[in-house]
Amino acid sequence: MLRLRRYRYYVFFAAVVVFLLYRVTQNSGQWEAVSASIPYAKAIPKSSPEQGFGPTNRQSRPSKSDTSKFADEDDDLAQQMLEKASKDDGKVKIPDLKTTTSEDALDKFDLPTTATKIDPSDETKVRVYDKEGAAKTTTAPLIDIPDKNIGQGAKGVGKGKGIHGAPGAHKSKTNSATTTIHWKKQPEHFPVPKDEIIPLPTGKPKSIPTIQYDFERESAEAKEKRLDRLAKVKAEMVRGWKGYMTYAKGHDELSPVSKKFRDPFCGWAATLVDALDTLWIMGMKEEFEEALVEVEKIDFTTSEFRNEIPVFETTIRYLGGLVAAYDVSGGKAGGYDILIEKALELAEILMGVFDTPNRMPILYYNWKPAFASQPKRAQGGSVAELGSLAMEFTRLAQITKEDKYYDAVARITDAFYEWQERGTSIPGIFPEHVDASGCNRTAEAEIAAKEAERIEQQQIELQKASSSSKSDIEADGSLAKRAESELHTLNRRQVGTPNDDGSKKVKIVTNGEEMYAPVETTTPKTGRATTSTKMEDSDSSSTDSKSKKEKDKCVPQGLTSGAWSSEQYSMGGSQDSTYEYFPKQWLLLGGLEPKYKTLHMRVAAAVKKWLLYRPMVPDDRDILFSAKINTRGNPEVDASTEWEVTHLTCFIGGMFGMGGKIFEVPEDVEIGKKLTDGCVWAYENTPSGIMPEGATVVPCAEANNCHWNETMYWQYLDPLYETHDQEMADFEKQHKEWKAKKTQKAKMKGHQNLGVAAEETTFGKDGLDAVGIQKRAPPSSRSGSDGSDTDGRDISDKSTQTPKLEDKSDISTGRDTSALSVNEEESQIPLKEEEDDIDLPEPMRPMSHKEYVENRITSENLPPGYVSANYHAYILRPEAIESVWYMYRITGDTSWQDKGWKMWNAIVSQTRTEAGNSAIDNVLLAKSGKTDEMESFWLAETLKYFYLLYSDPNVISLDEWVLNTEAHPFKRPS
């Protein structure tokens, strides 16, 4: 019977299948009409095994011309059928499809019509830039490039490497039926009048002192050595580029260990764009032109990886990379117009970040039209993010003759100049966090406080009026009760109880009339309690308008500190590149804008007074570093200094050296040498030969009289050295007393009352404490949370611990000990001896100052001279070799080439992988693990600086070029 019932189900499902097949055959003509409107592409070898609408091979749909719809839509036909079937109460239906024209198909399925007659074997869809100024989709010939990795960033169909998978595994990046949202140019809310646009400085560039050393003709031996090093650097670039193009083409970064890729930016091929000028400089023209094919495919108007564009990184890597590649490849005469066209496409998008009331930029720009169309105000950010856009937009303005690009960044420079004039806690330099909103929060709070005081007085008067009304109606019992109820309602609503209309205003009813009293609120940002200034009247619309005006109230101000308490000042991360750009921008403008010189000179003076220090190192090397200062606004009194050594700060040597040359300050050139040599020292004195991301050292009291003092060094390693010394002295005294007592107690053996311990013992929760033996291994019952006993002594020394209970004997206490897990085969330990130990526990030995220091050095792998190295990774950074290159080009001293070569060998030996080079996690180890990340600046900066260190000095001469913070060379005016 059971078997017969099972067959019923089989018959039922078979009938359903037959019915569905019948309906499909009846509508086959309609299905064919739909499929006729869909272009058919021949299968490409090793691609998806199926064609059509199956989930493994969905057709990619072009963007709609009307991008006003911002929500993603799924128009996949198979998905619609499944969704409709699920809605019809479990009934299985096939939708009746009418005969579809090509126009209908385009409207409903957003697919090309048959009238387009696209031959997929010859053409594909790519994004090209219209020189008129509009980005549009056109049909362009498919360029056949060997080993082209379409599908990993290129727009089109083809074979390629897997996405986050093994090579060759195809994975679609987007759902074919998802509407792609594109950025659209929006009307400006805060436009700059044409007659107020700040123009580029005009006139003949000023005569600027030469930066580069006048190199003499090198010997044949020196040339051979230099060219050998140059070839090895180029070989590393060739290998890294091949790895990127093989496993990550079209994506932001290569993962060089796993041979996958990452898209931490917007998925616009960051490494490829960043490395364009490096390819050209190294003579890799074929690879350069291959890269341009991919550049043309980048669509800056959309991103599936990020909703917000990181403006700083996008500007220095993408915009700077495109403009520099245009410059080094010959500019207009070079014929690579696609570079400047894509730069303009990106720049038009980025110009939207400046559409704010004070024209300060939005640093993370939501590019989607629904958000980009809304008015915005700049917020907080770092000094580097705000001030490191100048060179890229200025050079673009020079090439295109469009002043609007220069105006955008000149206003930021003017804001920094005004702030420097107004003064900061450390005159000349700026705190790390900046409030760029243009609204004075303090003034707003003061105004709000005054308003609160005024409203409080009004509230008192209202309460007096309410009390007067109450006394008038007390004669009438019912009216008195009503007044009491109204006052009760008032008290409730003063703490935020909603009225009948849903509002939280305080309603007072007097003689049948309604009025609303002020209510306590909290002002945003300040958190201070204020009182609402709104009084309800018959015209609610005017009240709402007044409320909106009060909400939008802004007391104008310039740039100011964005920190709520302590301010940080340094030349390190989040601040560095703004200071770097002041002298470089002066060069880029041919010395025609004096503000940049003034800004730099004040910065240099502040750094020399407040930040520079000489570290105490074992070989007494005369080097310098730049510190970090924390202050609450009065550094003369409350400044605290971090004697940091950070890789990002290593750019400062090149900045001082170049600034000293162009502004004729020889002292600054010497400072630049010592700062650069400091970073070389940081490389040479680690087990890996590579400098850590961040560390600290011991400062010298006097820069001109500093010698190694190991005692002082150890005191920095152990700030509590006095406490450790005192603890050791106390221990020695206690241990001596303990020995004397133990000796005396040994003479009194046989006089102990053995019954006392047995009577006092009690069972613990697991029955193990019943034996009357205490374990002294930490944590003990007397130990504190910090690992010390209640007397403050360290009990962590394992050498003083007694054996575990499991190794003890079974001791009878008059109680049932059958539950105790004791190994009876172990040797027995007399109870009397244990009781002696309980009565006279041996003092725990603390760690001495010497032991503490030696333990720190060993456990943290600290090299001599380092106090800490908490940030011990290396992520292929270029700043140290950057300054080494500047020093070589400025001084002509070939010892900088030798120092650079030691750095090169250490970096390559530690970071090389089969596909490229990887960041490592600990430079304090002789052989560190790899983190599987290769930042775009490895090809764009680090390898470029190494190459230029050993190239002919005329290649990218500092007297003809100026490099941005991503090592992108811009042509100086002549």
Side-chain angles (χ1 to χ4, degrees):
M1 196 67 180
L2 181 61
R3 183 177 304 174
L4 182 59
R5 290 179 180 174
R6 185 183 305 166
Y7 288 151
R8 286 182 189 173
Y9 292 112
Y10 293 158
V11 172
F12 172 75
F13 285 121
V16 171
V17 171
V18 170
F19 174 73
L20 291 176
L21 290 174
Y22 170 75
R23 292 300 302 273
V24 170
T25 58
Q26 291 295 314
N27 291 283
S28 60
Q30 297 170 355
W31 284 100
E32 290 172 0
V34 175
S35 61
S37 65
I38 303 173
Y40 172 76
K42 293 182 180 179
I44 297 175
K46 298 183 181 180
S47 63
S48 301
E50 300 178 15
Q51 298 291 334
F53 288 96
T56 60
N57 186 25
R58 293 184 175 180
Q59 299 290 327
S60 295
R61 166 176 87 171
S63 307
K64 289 187 178 183
S65 58
D66 180 10
T67 56
S68 61
K69 297 175 67 177
F70 305 123
D72 292 345
E73 300 174 355
D74 190 350
D75 292 332
D76 185 282
L77 185 56
Q79 184 65 30
Q80 288 182 1
M81 293 166 58
L82 291 173
E83 290 176 354
K84 187 169 183 179
S86 64
K87 293 178 181 178
D88 291 341
D89 300 327
K91 296 179 181 180
V92 181
K93 295 182 178 180
I94 300 295
D96 293 329
L97 301 178
K98 65 180 181 180
T99 304
T100 309
T101 64
S102 60
E103 182 178 349
D104 290 335
L106 180 61
D107 291 340
K108 292 185 177 296
F109 303 105
D110 201 19
L111 295 166
T113 67
T114 55
T116 58
K117 297 182 180 179
I118 297 174
D119 184 357
S121 64
D122 296 331
E123 298 177 330
T124 186
K125 284 285 184 180
V126 299
R127 299 288 302 183
V128 298
Y129 189 80
D130 186 348
K131 295 183 180 180
E132 299 293 328
K136 63 184 181 181
T137 304
T138 65
T139 301
L142 176 64
I143 302 175
D144 185 13
I145 299 294
D147 298 326
K148 189 173 180 181
N149 195 5
I150 304 175
Q152 293 195 40
K155 308 291 187 289
V157 183
K159 57 185 179 180
K161 302 297 177 182
I163 296 179
H164 298 293
H170 179 75
K171 179 180 177 182
S172 179
K173 285 171 60 179
T174 57
N175 188 319
S176 62
T178 300
T179 300
T180 301
I181 301 175
H182 289 269
W183 169 88
K184 293 179 65 176
K185 188 172 180 62
Q186 306 293 333
E188 285 196 303
H189 296 279
F190 310 99
V192 178
K194 287 186 177 181
D195 58 347
E196 294 182 15
I197 292 177
I198 302 174
L200 279 163
T202 57
K204 184 179 179 180
K206 290 189 175 182
S207 177
I208 298 174
T210 58
I211 301 173
Q212 287 209 160
Y213 178 77
D214 186 11
F215 288 90
E216 299 176 355
R217 186 180 181 88
E218 62 185 338
S219 66
E221 181 182 357
K223 183 176 181 179
E224 181 181 1
K225 181 180 179 181
R226 177 179 63 80
L227 292 178
D228 179 65
R229 292 173 173 178
L230 187 71
K232 290 180 179 178
V233 174
K234 181 176 179 178
E236 204 69 18
M237 174 66 186
V238 171
R239 201 172 58 82
W241 177 256
K242 182 179 179 181
Y244 169 78
M245 293 296 282
T246 302
Y247 303 107
K249 180 167 64 174
H251 290 276
D252 285 340
E253 295 174 0
L254 168 69
S255 297
V257 177
S258 61
K259 298 178 182 177
K260 298 178 183 178
F261 52 77
R262 305 189 311 138
D263 285 293
F265 301 111
C266 292
W268 296 332
T271 295
L272 185 142
V273 176
D274 224 2
L276 286 171
D277 51 16
T278 307
L279 294 171
W280 185 271
I281 291 169
M282 293 190 182
M284 300 170 65
K285 186 175 180 181
E286 183 178 340
E287 290 84 351
F288 177 83
E289 292 181 345
E290 180 185 9
L292 292 186
V293 176
E294 300 302 318
V295 169
E296 188 174 11
K297 297 173 185 176
I298 298 173
D299 185 357
F300 290 119
T301 67
T302 189
S303 172
E304 61 182 290
F305 301 102
R306 293 189 67 152
N307 292 328
E308 293 182 331
I309 298 173
V311 175
F312 165 70
E313 297 289 355
T314 301
T315 300
I316 66 171
R317 300 189 194 217
Y318 290 100
L319 186 59
L322 291 166
V323 171
Y326 180 76
D327 265 352
V328 299
S329 62
K332 187 68 175 176
Y336 298 105
D337 292 342
I338 185 62
L339 292 166
I340 201 64
E341 290 168 3
K342 298 302 286 188
L344 283 168
E345 178 184 325
L346 177 59
E348 282 303 306
I349 296 170
L350 293 177
M351 283 298 289
V353 309
F354 301 102
D355 184 21
T356 62
N358 61 349
R359 302 301 292 182
M360 294 298 104
I362 303 294
L363 297 175
Y364 290 87
Y365 179 54
N366 195 320
W367 53 269
K368 294 185 177 180
F371 301 95
S373 60
Q374 301 301 312
K376 298 167 287 294
R377 182 183 294 281
Q379 299 299 323
S382 69
V383 170
E385 288 177 310
L386 191 62
S388 303
L389 314 176
M391 292 184 68
E392 296 78 10
F393 279 93
T394 296
R395 184 56 189 149
L396 184 63
Q398 291 174 335
I399 294 171
T400 63
K401 312 299 182 187
E402 288 283 352
D403 286 333
K404 66 178 182 179
Y405 300 124
Y406 178 71
D407 172 89
V409 293
R411 292 177 184 274
I412 300 175
T413 300
D414 288 347
F416 274 113
Y417 186 84
E418 185 275 332
W419 192 9
Q420 198 180 63
E421 290 273 300
R422 183 171 14 111
T424 57
S425 298
I426 297 183
I429 55 179
F430 310 103
E432 178 177 330
H433 300 289
V434 182
D435 179 2
S437 67
C439 293
N440 190 327
R441 309 297 184 190
T442 304
E444 291 174 9
E446 291 174 354
I447 292 174
K450 291 179 181 178
E451 285 292 309
E453 185 177 353
R454 183 179 67 82
I455 297 304
E456 184 179 4
Q457 186 63 34
Q458 290 182 353
Q459 189 175 15
I460 292 172
E461 294 175 1
L462 287 170
Q463 289 175 348
K464 288 180 178 179
S466 177
S467 300
S468 176
S469 299
K470 180 180 177 181
S471 62
D472 290 341
I473 61 176
E474 278 181 348
D476 190 327
S478 61
L479 292 178
K481 182 180 289 187
R482 179 180 175 185
E484 184 179 354
S485 175
E486 289 174 356
L487 288 173
H488 179 67
T489 301
L490 171 62
N491 291 332
R492 284 192 296 108
R493 287 180 176 166
Q494 282 179 333
V495 296
T497 305
N499 283 310
D500 299 334
D501 61 357
S503 68
K504 294 184 180 180
K505 308 182 189 72
V506 180
K507 182 193 292 184
I508 303 174
V509 181
T510 306
N511 298 327
E513 297 183 0
E514 294 184 358
M515 58 189 301
Y516 291 87
V519 60
E520 289 277 323
T521 60
T522 303
T523 59
K525 300 288 186 185
T526 63
R528 296 180 57 178
T530 62
T531 309
S532 173
T533 60
K534 292 182 286 185
M535 296 294 290
E536 189 72 14
D537 56 24
S538 58
D539 188 358
S540 60
S541 61
S542 62
T543 303
D544 293 340
S545 176
K546 181 179 178 182
S547 172
K548 185 176 181 181
K549 288 181 180 179
E550 290 174 351
K551 183 178 180 181
D552 294 339
K553 187 182 298 181
C554 172
V555 179
Q557 70 170 8
L559 298 179
T560 189
S561 173
W564 290 105
S565 54
S566 179
E567 299 174 346
Q568 292 185 342
Y569 293 81
S570 80
M571 292 288 111
S574 299
Q575 304 181 60
D576 47 3
S577 49
T578 289
Y579 302 121
E580 174 190 353
Y581 273 24
F582 290 154
K584 290 183 174 182
Q585 184 77 343
W586 188 79
L587 285 173
L588 188 58
L589 292 171
L592 297 175
E593 177 48 79
K595 287 181 181 178
Y596 292 102
K597 179 178 179 179
T598 303
L599 284 163
H600 171 77
M601 297 301 289
R602 289 173 177 170
V603 167
V607 171
K608 286 185 279 189
K609 178 180 179 181
W610 290 95
L611 302 182
L612 290 188
Y613 72 95
R614 179 179 176 181
M616 184 182 71
V617 293
D619 59 356
D620 292 345
R621 195 159 165 176
D622 189 4
I623 56 179
L624 293 175
F625 288 114
S626 179
K628 176 189 287 185
I629 286 183
N630 295 274
T631 176
R632 292 183 176 274
N634 188 6
E636 296 284 358
V637 176
D638 64 11
S640 63
T641 306
E642 297 179 35
W643 309 107
E644 65 178 14
V645 174
T646 69
H647 205 292
L648 280 168
T649 313
C650 285
F651 86 95
I652 195 175
M655 183 192 81
F656 263 86
M658 186 182 69
K661 292 291 288 186
I662 62 178
F663 299 129
E664 300 181 289
V665 186
E667 177 193 32
D668 286 2
V669 178
E670 294 303 312
I671 289 174
K673 292 179 185 178
K674 293 182 180 182
L675 285 165
T676 303
D677 204 31
C679 293
V680 172
W681 172 88
Y683 266 79
E684 294 175 348
N685 285 272
T686 63
S688 66
I690 303 176
M691 177 183 182
E693 275 287 293
T696 59
V697 291
V698 180
C700 295
E702 298 180 32
N704 296 321
N705 183 23
C706 185
H707 302 284
W708 176 251
N709 184 331
E710 189 169 57
T711 300
M712 180 182 294
Y713 174 59
W714 279 28
Q715 289 175 356
Y716 270 83
L717 286 169
D718 178 18
L720 298 177
Y721 65 93
E722 293 179 340
T723 301
H724 286 142
D725 287 341
Q726 184 61 46
E727 286 178 347
M728 181 56 68
D730 293 344
F731 164 76
E732 290 174 352
K733 179 180 179 181
Q734 293 170 4
H735 197 267
K736 185 176 181 181
E737 294 174 355
W738 174 81
K739 273 189 172 182
K741 290 181 181 179
K742 189 172 183 181
T743 301
Q744 182 179 5
K745 198 169 185 69
K747 296 178 182 179
M748 300 175 62
K749 283 186 178 180
H751 301 285
Q752 298 287 342
N753 184 358
L754 301 180
V756 175
E759 292 174 2
E760 292 178 351
T761 56
T762 59
F763 272 87
K765 62 180 180 180
D766 57 357
L768 297 180
D769 293 336
V771 296
I773 304 173
Q774 295 181 5
K775 293 183 284 184
R776 292 198 296 268
S780 70
S781 60
R782 300 180 63 207
S783 64
S785 61
D786 59 351
S788 62
D789 65 12
T790 54
D791 295 328
R793 293 176 304 212
D794 189 351
I795 60 172
S796 60
D797 192 343
K798 295 183 180 179
S799 64
T800 62
Q801 297 175 12
T802 59
K804 293 183 178 180
L805 181 60
E806 287 79 357
D807 298 328
K808 300 291 185 180
S809 62
D810 184 8
I811 303 171
S812 176
T813 62
R815 300 177 186 268
D816 184 7
T817 59
S818 60
L820 299 178
S821 299
V822 179
N823 189 342
E824 297 179 356
E825 296 181 0
E826 294 293 326
S827 58
Q828 301 286 321
I829 300 177
L831 176 63
K832 191 173 185 302
E833 184 176 332
E834 277 302 316
E835 290 178 342
D836 289 345
D837 289 343
I838 296 172
D839 293 340
L840 291 175
E842 183 178 0
M844 307 302 294
R845 186 181 185 281
M847 190 177 288
S848 68
H849 167 55
K850 179 181 179 181
E851 290 169 337
Y852 178 86
V853 169
E854 290 175 344
N855 180 67
R856 268 204 68 191
I857 293 174
T858 302
S859 62
E860 298 179 27
N861 295 304
L862 289 175
Y866 282 83
V867 173
S868 69
N870 296 329
Y871 305 100
H872 44 61
Y874 172 67
I875 62 172
L876 308 176
R877 285 202 186 277
E879 291 78 17
I881 192 60
E882 172 186 349
S883 285
V884 168
W885 174 67
Y886 272 99
M887 287 301 106
Y888 170 66
R889 289 289 185 92
I890 290 171
T891 67
D893 186 353
T894 57
S895 67
W896 293 109
Q897 290 181 313
D898 296 332
K899 292 173 181 178
W901 195 243
K902 288 182 181 179
M903 295 164 62
W904 167 263
N905 287 326
I907 291 171
V908 171
S909 65
Q910 293 286 338
T911 66
R912 178 178 284 173
T913 71
E914 184 179 346
N917 296 79
S918 172
I920 59 177
D921 56 22
N922 194 345
V923 301
L924 303 181
L925 302 177
K927 195 63 179 178
S928 173
K930 296 178 174 63
T931 61
D932 198 21
E933 295 178 1
M934 190 177 88
E935 291 260 11
S936 70
F937 52 64
W938 169 249
L939 303 185
E941 295 188 74
T942 312
L943 290 181
K944 183 185 295 169
Y945 282 125
F946 272 114
Y947 185 86
L948 292 175
L949 181 61
Y950 305 109
S951 68
D952 187 288
N954 292 321
V955 176
I956 310 298
S957 168
L958 288 172
D959 294 318
E960 298 175 3
W961 300 85
V962 56
L963 284 69
N964 83 335
T965 193
E966 194 75 4
H968 294 310
F970 298 151
K971 190 72 175 173
R972 284 174 51 183
S974 55

